[in-house]
Amino acid sequence: MKIKVDFHVHTVYSPDSVITFQDLRDGCREKGIDVVAIMDHDVTEGAFELAARSEELLSRGEWAPRVLVGEEVRTTKGEICGLFLSRWVPDHRPPRETMELIKEQGGLVYVPHPFDLLKLKRLKASELIELSGLIDIVEEFNGKPRLPLANTLARRFLERHPLTPAAGSDAHEPTHLGAAFVEMEDFSGPGDLMEKLPGGRISGKMYSPFASAYTRFRIRRKRRAGDAAT
Ligand SMILES: [Zn+2]
């Protein structure tokens, strides 16, 4: 059976996202996303909680997206994501150490937005090659607007180097869920994912940066007003 996987989503556990569990559930259902990887910034608390809530719903026969526990870890040279984590990965360590901490616990190393040239701290192409023995997946398509060339450069890099590509929306608000995804054969764990991911098909489109910031502002304001009313 083919499923759609959004490999990069932020929830309210990230300071810059407004996506609640309910939003995640509704948004994924609406966009036809079956599996989401939660990649909150430097925390895993939300990912573990939401994975448990989704499992509980699924066990009762109710609809929920399957949740993969991940973390977007800030390192001394940009961000590295861990996937299939069983515990939190500390931030602000060198990239190699971060990758080793992910691998030690049986997780997969996922490099998000590798050619986001606007970021001062990021791994250069030569460093990605140097660390490629520790890298499992590289994000070929990221839905968040960056320099338009970023995704093209990532695709070109992946055409030349034998690393497995994937895609994620990098959604920080509900309407962006599923903006980028991989359609692939269903999988049951990290090993199985790595076997099936190369046969997947990447789809994606970038959303507008301005609409995005404004929508997040509106959602926060509305929720604050709601809190004050209760
Ligand atoms: Zn992100």
Side-chain angles (χ1 to χ4, degrees), residues 24-46:
L24 189 75
R25 200 177 163 211
D26 295 345
C28 286
R29 188 167 209 178
E30 190 189 320
K31 305 274 172 66
I33 297 295
D34 306 284
V35 179
V36 272
I38 294 186
M39 299 288 199
D40 283 322
H41 298 289
D42 304 324
V43 290
T44 44
E45 202 188 338

Side-chain angles (χ1 to χ4, degrees), residues 8 10 39 41 72 113 170 172:
H8 191 157
H10 292 268
M39 299 288 199
H41 298 289
E72 186 165 14
H113 38 71
D170 210 350
H172 288 69

Side-chain angles (χ1 to χ4, degrees), residues 70-160:
E71 177 185 344
E72 186 165 14
V73 189
R74 210 168 321 169
T75 75
T76 52
K77 272 211 150 175
E79 287 123 347
I80 305 281
C81 294
L83 197 56
F84 290 99
L85 296 179
S86 46
R87 54 180 187 271
W88 175 71
V89 179
D91 46 290
H92 289 94
R93 308 274 174 99
R96 181 181 289 276
E97 191 185 330
T98 307
M99 290 178 181
E100 282 166 356
L101 287 168
I102 294 168
K103 301 293 250 187
E104 266 169 28
Q105 52 169 301
L108 298 176
V109 171
Y110 177 107
V111 178
H113 38 71
F115 291 92
D116 188 2
L117 305 176
L118 292 177
K119 289 206 169 168
L120 291 177
K121 284 186 180 174
R122 60 180 190 89
L123 287 169
K124 293 196 216 81
S126 58
E127 289 165 312
L128 284 174
I129 294 163
E130 205 183 301
L131 291 165
S132 61
L134 287 166
I135 298 172
D136 298 290
I137 304 168
V138 174
E139 196 169 66
E140 178 178 309
F141 197 100
N142 177 288
K144 197 172 165 182
R146 304 170 192 277
L147 272 191
L149 258 188
N151 286 330
T152 310
L153 291 173
R155 199 182 63 236
R156 284 193 197 145
F157 176 82
L158 283 158
E159 278 164 7
R160 292 195 310 269

